[in-house]
Every structure is written in C-alpha cells, then in structure tokens.
Amino acid sequence: MSAHEDTIRAASEVIAELGASIFARGLTPGRTGNLSCRIEDEIVVTPTGVSLGSLDPCRLAIIDLAGRPVRGGKPSKEAVMHAALYRARPAARGVVHLHSTHAVAVSCLADIDGRSALPPLTAYFVMRVGRLPLVPYFAPGDPALSVAVEETAREHHAMLLANHGSIVVAEDLLSAADAAEEIEETARLWLLLREQRTRPLADAQLTALAERRQA
Ligand SMILES: [Zn+2]
C-alpha cells in the first residue's frame, strides 16, 4: 500500500471514530451530517445514506477538489460543499457539517442578522468560531449552495446554512468538530437567553482575545 493510501486509511479511521462520537452525543440525527478530510488533492468524505454512528472506515467515498467521485462509496450529495470549502481555503484539511438541533433552530429564525447569526457570548465561541455568517437557503445539493459556501469561506471558516445547519472548515478534522460543537452550544445558550437581556463580550474584550490569538 502506498504512503498516500496509508494516510487515507488513517484519516478514514479518525472520521469513523469522530462520527460515532458525534452521533452518540446526539449532535446530528438520523443519517444527516457529513465529515471529510483532505489528503493531498483527494477528499475522504462520509458516504450517502449512512448514519455517522455506523461508518465503515473501508467504505468511505473519495472525491476530487472539483467534487467528482474518484473511488470508494457513493459520496453524500452534500460532498460538493466540502470540495468548495477546500478550494476556498487551500491550507484546510478537515470539514464538519452537522444538523445539530439548536444550530438548525437559530438558522430558521426570521430576525437573524445574516452577517453574524450568534452574538459573542463566550470567549470559546470567539476563539473557535469568530463571526458566524448565515448563508442564504438553497436546497441541499443545489450547485448554488456550493457557490455561496465557497464565497463565504474565503473570509469565514464557520457558517450557518439557513434552515439547514452548520458547516465548518479548519486546519484539521478535530478542530472543525470543536468549532461545530461550539456553534451548537452557543446556539443553545442563545435560545435559552433570547427572551432576556444578555451581556455579550464588549469590543475591548473581543480585541483582547484577538490580540491573544495572534501572540
Ligand atoms: Zn446538511
């Protein structure tokens, strides 16, 4: 087996393990959600019609950066979004897309700010997610959704898809999962707090966090 195949095999194991953990914790229901890793110019992505809770690492799909199937299982129709994110951020190596309940709930709110769907309630949200834009609604698999996601990803590594869920691209799969979980937790907090006055982090506190990240 080539070194490339070894790396794909190792990434597939990580995807299956993370998928089981995400599913067990109720972070994406049924057969929703998809995970991927980029290995050189190939993307290992979860196949269509399989729950993240029962992934077989030997049966994941491999696609190219244009989103075309290369070998392995049949990719999810959402896999083209993953390819779009890797094209927008060439250094990225992991993508997590979840239909987690509270993030989906926020993505359905009528009065949401499209530039920033969730306020900076906690330092971890600011550090792992930053500003979270809302991508307008398109049907899953619609090529226009991939175009919108690719454009948004040039400036933001995490986004909320209207009436759909969250998607995050990061330097590795586990960092993408951390950010997707942070979006879900912050969405849950925000829904708990929405009827009350909140005190999000102030501009000076946000600037101090940004300076610490660069230090
Ligand atoms: Zn989806």
Side-chain angles (χ1 to χ4, degrees):
M1 211 188 275
S2 71
H4 180 69
E5 286 302 322
D6 279 348
T7 313
I8 284 190
R9 180 65 207 236
S12 301
E13 300 279 353
V14 174
I15 287 174
E17 217 170 278
L18 177 66
S21 160
I22 284 173
F23 188 79
R25 289 178 293 140
L27 287 167
T28 204
R31 293 182 286 182
T32 66
N34 24 79
L35 312 175
S36 71
C37 288
R38 176 176 174 178
I39 315 289
E40 295 170 18
D41 285 338
E42 292 190 326
I43 301 163
V44 194
V45 62
T46 47
T48 189
V50 181
S51 155
L52 291 191
S54 50
L55 292 170
D56 177 346
C58 300
R59 289 169 187 252
L60 302 188
I62 314 275
I63 62 170
D64 64 18
L65 285 168
R68 292 174 300 228
V70 175
R71 61 187 183 280
K74 186 174 179 225
S76 152
K77 63 177 173 294
E78 294 185 312
V80 289
M81 274 196 304
H82 293 238
L85 289 172
Y86 291 117
R87 288 195 301 271
R89 299 179 85 91
R93 291 295 176 270
V95 170
V96 170
H97 166 54
L98 302 179
H99 295 190
S100 59
T101 307
H102 300 87
V104 177
V106 168
S107 82
C108 299
L109 291 174
D111 56 355
I112 203 168
D113 177 355
R115 290 168 309 127
S116 175
L118 287 169
L121 290 174
T122 67
Y124 281 97
F125 179 78
V126 175
M127 291 188 291
R128 289 181 175 155
V129 179
R131 189 151 67 75
L132 183 71
L134 181 75
V135 175
Y137 176 79
F138 297 98
D142 183 336
L145 178 57
S146 291
V147 172
V149 159
E150 186 168 351
E151 274 172 17
T152 308
R154 294 207 183 94
E155 293 205 21
H156 301 278
H157 71 288
M159 59 201 86
L160 210 51
L161 310 176
N163 304 76
H164 185 162
S166 64
I167 191 161
V168 179
V169 55
E171 64 273 20
D172 57 61
L173 184 67
L174 297 182
S175 301
D178 281 347
E181 289 180 45
E182 198 63 45
I183 291 170
E184 171 61 9
E185 285 308 308
T186 305
R188 192 152 76 101
L189 285 173
W190 175 233
L191 293 168
L192 281 169
L193 292 165
R194 230 162 80 86
E195 302 302 320
Q196 301 169 56
R197 284 184 60 219
T198 57
R199 192 189 60 247
L201 297 183
D203 286 348
Q205 291 166 325
L206 294 174
T207 306
L209 282 172
E211 281 166 2
R212 277 180 53 160
R213 286 173 81 184
Q214 280 158 13

